Amino acid sequence: TWILDVGCGEGFPARQFTAQMGARKVVGVDISKEMIAKAERTAKEQGIVIPDQQCFLVGSANKLTETLHNNFHRVGVLPGAELYQFGCFDMSVAIFLFNY
């Protein structure tokens, strides 16, 4: 299962998706560099393999395709209109998107 977490914040849902649901890959996107740094740090502290199991990207929810394309080497898929048009993610969530 591949999950896209838009507005991932400090990565709590991403860690839960990996630990509780056995997600193969979680890609978190947040506009805050500080939150992304905290998400990566906490995931590593908990033994999550970055970027194999999770990767966190600084980017805007308004520019998801651009963010994914610019970071395809971290996401783990090659860029291409077909890929993102049909989706490489099995699920997307926006749990913390509107908190701020």
Side-chain angles (χ1 to χ4, degrees):
T1 304
W2 280 52
I3 300 171
L4 175 63
D5 185 1
V6 182
C8 67
E10 51 80 56
F12 177 76
R15 292 190 300 277
Q16 295 304 305
F17 291 135
T18 299
Q20 303 297 322
M21 293 177 54
R24 181 169 160 233
K25 178 84 167 212
V26 180
V27 177
V29 178
D30 199 281
I31 201 162
S32 168
K33 291 178 185 178
E34 293 79 14
M35 286 289 146
I36 293 298
K38 185 173 182 179
E40 288 180 339
R41 185 173 55 252
T42 305
K44 287 177 185 175
E45 289 170 359
Q46 294 186 8
I48 295 169
V49 180
I50 304 288
D52 294 342
Q53 291 178 294
Q54 294 181 1
C55 78
F56 297 98
L57 310 172
V58 176
S60 170
N62 294 331
K63 297 180 180 180
L64 281 176
T65 301
E66 180 180 321
T67 299
L68 294 171
H69 274 260
N70 291 340
N71 294 279
F72 72 91
H73 57 286
R74 296 189 66 213
V75 174
V77 293
L78 294 175
E82 299 85 17
L83 177 69
Y84 297 113
Q85 179 181 358
F86 297 111
C88 62
F89 297 100
D90 299 299
M91 179 171 70
S92 62
V93 296
I95 297 168
F96 295 129
L97 184 62
F98 297 111
N99 284 11
Y100 301 98

